[in-house]
Amino acid sequence: MRSAVAAGALLGAALLTVACIPSAEAGEDVQAARVPAPVATPAPVPTPTPTPTPTGPAQFTYAGETEQGGWIRGQAPAGAVSAMLGDVPLDLDPEGYFFAAFDRDAGPEATLTATLADGTTKSATITVRPRAWQLEHINAPLRPGGGSSEAFKRRRQPELDAIWDARTADSPVDGWRESFIWPAQGRISGKFGAQRIYQGEPGSYHSGLDIAGGAGAPVVAPASGKVTLATTRPFSLEGNLVIVDHGDGLNSAFLHLSRIDVTEGQMVKQGDPIGLIGQTGRVTGPHLHWSIKWHLARLDPLLFVPPR
């Protein structure tokens, strides 16, 4: 009897254990209970920004004085990324406007060339009118008595270096856009380009315009710009000298001043005082020598100002 009871108890315990087995272990399908993996959403494809259509003329446009010692202001063809006059690079503003000029001894033609963004080029040929320069023939040697002394050369070289640095400065100014005014009033006593010929050998030509306005007469900026040189002592030839950068490679020099009223680095507006007419340096009388350069080209100041 006791054996039968014990056997019954063991059988009940076994049945209870079987009833507690988890359903997964009992062979139930658990695949349906899994959460499906999220599907990745593709990143949006950005809409390409349309390339703006270049604005500007189809070809070069320009106006000015197309003669030896002259100048032009113009605009490069639409889409130009660079431009040149001959082998001189032009400074293009964001809309393609530029300044360019022709040396006193420029040839009969000059070529404007623009390179576009796609690598193609456009060009324009400018006819440069020749000038009949004032020439004076002298029956004497070019340099009687030999060349300069060593002492003069030692003094002169630092002056030439300072002038070079001032005239090759690249200031972010736009006086080149302005219509120039006269820097001084007075009689014209020396014209640009005049030259003496010594026994058949040409001397240096006159590189600027001389204005005999009288000692102490005021000198003003003919156009806006930045003062890149204001000498603290008279130079051996130029005397008291001021150079103003008008931007785009264009600059003015004012020589032989009796007084300087500006300092290096100063910004000047058109009509601002620069100094007074004098006779410092190598001169024979009081006057203003005004010279203009565009890069290495020497220009005629008379072609920048209105007639009077």
Side-chain angles (χ1 to χ4, degrees):
M1 185 66 178
R2 186 177 295 173
S3 297
V5 174
L10 290 174
L11 178 60
L15 291 174
L16 182 60
T17 301
V18 172
C20 293
I21 294 175
S23 60
E25 292 181 2
E28 291 181 4
D29 185 6
V30 299
Q31 192 69 25
R34 294 179 181 175
V35 178
V39 178
T41 303
V45 178
T47 302
T49 303
T51 302
T53 302
T55 59
Q59 302 293 335
F60 276 102
T61 61
Y62 57 86
E65 305 290 342
T66 54
E67 58 188 278
Q68 291 177 325
W71 56 271
I72 57 172
R73 296 186 186 97
Q75 187 177 16
V81 295
S82 64
M84 304 181 75
L85 176 68
D87 58 358
V88 180
L90 302 179
D91 297 322
L92 301 179
D93 77 357
E95 295 179 336
Y97 289 99
F98 63 87
F99 182 93
F102 315 102
D103 185 70
R104 185 258 197 192
D105 296 325
E109 289 185 346
T111 302
L112 288 166
T113 305
T115 300
L116 308 186
D118 61 4
T120 60
T121 60
K122 292 186 177 182
S123 63
T125 300
I126 301 172
T127 299
V128 181
R129 296 190 301 274
R131 302 273 296 275
W133 303 110
Q134 177 184 340
L135 303 179
E136 182 181 2
H137 293 268
I138 305 296
N139 188 22
L142 175 59
R143 292 182 179 86
S148 303
S149 67
E150 289 301 320
F152 175 79
K153 291 178 180 179
R154 287 194 298 270
R155 177 187 176 186
R156 185 61 177 156
Q157 191 58 53
E159 297 174 350
L160 294 175
D161 292 342
I163 293 172
W164 174 266
D165 291 343
R167 302 204 85 153
T168 56
D170 185 16
S171 307
V173 293
D174 57 1
W176 61 272
R177 300 177 186 270
E178 300 172 353
S179 297
F180 279 40
I181 63 174
W182 286 85
Q185 298 300 313
R187 175 179 59 88
I188 295 175
S189 57
K191 292 186 176 180
F192 172 82
Q195 189 174 26
R196 288 181 173 181
I197 311 298
Y198 297 87
Q199 294 180 342
E201 185 177 357
S204 299
Y205 63 81
H206 193 235
S207 61
L209 182 71
D210 289 346
I211 304 173
V219 178
V220 301
S224 303
K226 180 179 180 180
V227 177
T228 54
L229 180 62
T231 59
T232 56
R233 61 170 180 81
F235 278 11
S236 53
L237 301 183
E238 298 82 7
N240 293 321
L241 168 65
V242 169
I243 295 178
V244 175
D245 180 11
H246 303 300
D248 253 27
L250 183 68
N251 57 77
S252 289
F254 309 91
L255 284 63
H256 312 309
L257 302 175
S258 63
R259 190 181 79 193
I260 292 176
D261 295 329
V262 292
T263 57
E264 286 186 23
Q266 179 179 336
M267 305 297 293
V268 293
K269 294 181 180 179
Q270 186 178 71
D272 284 351
I274 289 176
L276 303 178
I277 289 179
Q279 56 182 25
T280 56
R282 186 176 293 180
V283 291
T284 57
H287 70 278
L288 170 67
H289 176 98
W290 174 31
S291 69
I292 301 180
K293 291 186 73 176
W294 178 69
H295 297 295
L296 298 180
R298 294 188 178 277
L299 313 180
D300 185 354
L302 269 180
L303 299 179
F304 283 79
V305 291
R308 63 181 190 185

